[in-house]
Amino acid sequence: MNATIDGTMDMISEMFDIKFRERSANIWHDDVKYFDFIRDGKTIAGIYLDLQTRETKRGGAWANEFSKHYIDANNQEHLAEGVVAANFPVAKDGNPSLLSINEVNTLLHEMGHAVHLLLSRVNEYDLGSFSVDWDVVEFPSQFLESFITNPDVLRRLGKHYKTGETIPDYLINRIIAADRFQKGLFLVRQLELGIFDLELYQKDSVTKQSVQD
């Protein structure tokens, strides 16, 4: 997990010209870490990472905003802060937390949400961060998530936890093949749902029976 976090941060740093700087902060559990987003030597945002599972934590993974970037009526700038949370395996028996490919994908997805929140320069509070339409909210997360099948990214993130050996090409090829499996069928299904929606919206009135027809 730690190596994957470091690799993900390095990738985000290169893509968006920022740096992560870990520092102490008020945290709610010892597993939580806090990082400043640094650009041109200036702190522009902050993020909490709470990634390991525990009994008191709800399931799943998510990214939330604690505060948005905005400028108030007194021309004072307020910086964004957020959290990325997940339920990754706990490090134990001297071994680190080991992530599956799906959990790596989850980390990239939620970090995409974090990038959206923390790099926003929108000055109006009601228009910033996740206030936009849902398709826009999901774009940065799925954009970053898409790199899970990039061979260079897989080599950067995929290291053996004992030897440090880079993930071999045959495993990279299997990951890409598994990701592509039935993608065409999925796309056709999405098109079918879209066409069905358009059919409904073109009708003057809709009833239960007309939907079935």
Side-chain angles (χ1 to χ4, degrees), residues 1-2 4-5 8 31 49-55 57-62 84-92 96-111:
M1 180 183 72
N2 291 333
T4 305
I5 293 170
T8 301
D31 289 342
L49 296 184
D50 184 0
L51 299 178
Q52 293 190 115
T53 190
R54 56 182 177 272
E55 289 184 3
K57 195 187 217 179
R58 71 178 173 91
W62 62 94
V84 168
N87 278 275
F88 297 154
V90 176
K92 61 181 180 180
S97 172
L98 301 178
L99 305 186
S100 68
I101 189 68
N102 288 334
E103 288 165 334
V104 175
N105 192 72
T106 294
L107 177 63
L108 291 174
H109 181 99
E110 301 304 338
M111 288 298 288

Side-chain angles (χ1 to χ4, degrees), residues 197-208:
D197 276 352
L198 291 172
E199 288 283 344
L200 291 181
Y201 280 111
Q202 289 174 5
K203 295 181 182 298
D204 294 331
S205 62
V206 177
T207 65
K208 290 183 179 180

Side-chain angles (χ1 to χ4, degrees), residues 13-114:
S13 296
E14 292 175 12
M15 293 174 68
F16 299 102
D17 191 26
I18 62 167
K19 294 181 179 179
F20 292 85
R21 181 177 63 197
E22 185 175 1
R23 67 171 174 85
S24 60
N26 293 326
I27 56 176
W28 52 92
H29 193 275
D30 289 342
D31 289 342
V32 179
K33 296 182 178 181
Y34 186 87
F35 296 85
D36 287 324
F37 271 41
I38 309 294
R39 175 173 280 164
D40 298 327
K42 178 183 176 183
T43 299
I44 62 171
I47 185 173
Y48 295 87
L49 296 184
D50 184 0
L51 299 178
Q52 293 190 115
T53 190
R54 56 182 177 272
E55 289 184 3
T56 57
K57 195 187 217 179
R58 71 178 173 91
W62 62 94
N64 278 348
E65 58 188 23
F66 289 158
S67 60
K68 301 178 183 181
H69 174 272
Y70 71 99
I71 296 178
D72 64 24
N74 297 318
N75 205 36
Q76 178 68 38
E77 183 180 29
H78 297 258
L79 301 184
E81 279 193 329
V83 58
V84 168
N87 278 275
F88 297 154
V90 176
K92 61 181 180 180
D93 300 330
N95 293 321
S97 172
L98 301 178
L99 305 186
S100 68
I101 189 68
N102 288 334
E103 288 165 334
V104 175
N105 192 72
T106 294
L107 177 63
L108 291 174
H109 181 99
E110 301 304 338
M111 288 298 288
H113 284 310

Side-chain angles (χ1 to χ4, degrees), residues 79 86 94 150 161 189:
L79 301 184
N150 182 292
Y161 76 103
R189 175 61 174 160

